[in-house]
């Protein structure tokens, strides 16, 4: 089945550690996105990529990094510089400028 | 600064009635406006997209309107059912790039 796969679904990390969240899509979409969602809040854009080897900062990029070496993959690294990393992270992709976003099931990160 | 506001955090509607949700925006020139449904702990699911030159879009019991003069979109669910209970998110797609920004969402409760 075509879709977006995020892993891991749940992740625990100690303060001061970097962690990488995986996002893979087999929809052949050019654009990919990372959002963060806190309890009772909407989605805030972290990074997005319109094409391989290119990406742009969203509204809350500080403390995060991404790469886009392959069309199918857009991993997100939550670095130790991110002051409040505990959140629900959502990855999405889009096939065209007029198309909708397809979301993964999310990764819930908890910093202990 | 750019802002998207959804009219209320939570909305209670009696089963069978029409639920109306509001999305207002400032300092944007969106090419498209989208509505998504999100269930707890899941990724959002696309419902409807409306373009800046469209006034209204329908899909089964759903209707979306888009008024670029008022900078507002209304999302209607007619003949509401308890299964419609979820959080509904509006999202704006800016004209000059692939950046997509979400509102905080409205939690809709359909009361049996």
């Amino acid at each position: 089945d075509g879709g977006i796969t995020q892993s891991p679904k749940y992740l625990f990390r100690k303060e001061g550690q970097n962690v990488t969240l995986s996002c893979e899509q087999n929809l052949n979409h050019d654009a990919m996105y990372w959002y963060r969602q806190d309890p009772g809040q909407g989605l805030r854009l972290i990074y997005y990529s319109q094409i391989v080897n290119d990406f742009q900062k969203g509204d809350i990029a500080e403390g995060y990094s991404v790469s886009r070496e392959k069309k199918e993959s857009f991993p997100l690294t939550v670095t130790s510089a991110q002051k409040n990393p505990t959140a629900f992270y959502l990855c999405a992709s889009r096939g065209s400028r007029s198309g909708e976003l397809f979301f993964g099931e999310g990764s819930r990160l908890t910093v202990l | 600064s750019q802002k998207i506001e959804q009219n209320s955090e939570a909305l209670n509607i009696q089963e069978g009635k029409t639920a109306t949700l509001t999305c207002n925006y400032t300092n944007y020139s969106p090419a498209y406006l989208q509505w998504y449904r999100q269930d707890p702990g899941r990724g959002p699911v696309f419902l409807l997209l409306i373009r800046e030159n469209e006034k209204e879009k329908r899909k089964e019991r759903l209707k979306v309107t888009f008024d670029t003069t008022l900078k507002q979109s209304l999302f209607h669910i007619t003949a509401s059912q308890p299964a419609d209970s979820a959080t509904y998110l509006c999202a704006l797609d800016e004209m000059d790039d692939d950046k997509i920004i979400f509102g905080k969402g409205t939690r809709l409760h359909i009361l049996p």
Side-chain angles (χ1 to χ4, degrees), chain A residues 59-85:
Chain A
D59 298 322
I60 57 164
E62 186 175 348
Y64 299 97
S65 66
V66 292
S67 63
R68 188 83 188 277
E69 297 176 2
K70 297 188 299 182
K71 188 174 186 178
E72 304 80 23
S73 179
F74 191 40
L76 173 74
T77 297
V78 185
T79 75
S80 56
Q82 167 50 233
K83 290 183 174 30
N84 188 16

Side-chain angles (χ1 to χ4, degrees), chain A residues 9 31 33 35 37 40-43 45 48 50 58-59 88 90 94 97-101 103-105 108, chain B residues 31-32 34 36 38 41-44 46 49 51 89 93-105:
Chain A
K9 193 170 177 64
Y33 301 78
Y35 291 91
Q37 187 173 36
Q41 300 295 312
L43 279 62
L45 183 62
Y48 63 109
Q50 295 167 286
D59 298 322
F88 187 48
L90 286 158
R94 180 162 80 160
R97 279 285 284 124
S98 60
E100 70 267 30
L101 290 175
F103 281 89
E105 286 300 304
R108 190 169 297 280
Chain B
Y32 312 99
Q34 304 181 36
Y36 290 79
Q38 187 178 26
R42 307 294 299 274
F46 170 77
L49 178 150
R51 292 173 171 74
L89 301 158
D93 185 339
E94 296 197 49
M95 280 188 176
D96 55 355
D97 66 22
D98 271 316
K99 189 175 181 181
I100 303 175
I101 304 298
F102 283 80
K104 289 188 176 182

Side-chain angles (χ1 to χ4, degrees), chain A residues 42-57:
Chain A
L43 279 62
R44 291 187 290 167
L45 183 62
I46 305 172
Y47 270 98
Y48 63 109
S49 168
Q50 295 167 286
I51 199 166
V52 174
N53 292 323
D54 189 37
F55 47 83
Q56 288 77 41
K57 292 182 179 179

Side-chain angles (χ1 to χ4, degrees), chain B residues 4-66:
Chain B
I4 305 174
E5 288 184 341
Q6 295 191 237
N7 59 324
S8 56
E9 285 192 19
L11 190 62
N12 294 326
I13 299 292
Q14 205 65 40
E15 182 178 3
K17 302 291 186 185
T18 296
T20 298
L21 285 64
T22 304
C23 178
N24 295 294
Y25 61 92
T26 56
N27 297 326
Y28 280 109
S29 295
Y32 312 99
L33 189 143
Q34 304 181 36
W35 285 88
Y36 290 79
R37 169 185 172 136
Q38 187 178 26
D39 291 291
R42 307 294 299 274
V45 174
F46 170 77
L47 296 174
L48 280 168
L49 178 150
I50 188 164
R51 292 173 171 74
E52 55 156 350
N53 60 352
E54 295 176 322
K55 296 290 186 191
E56 183 179 297
K57 201 75 152 310
R58 291 176 185 262
K59 178 182 175 184
E60 297 173 353
R61 295 184 295 111
L62 308 181
K63 184 178 86 171
V64 171
T65 62
F66 193 12

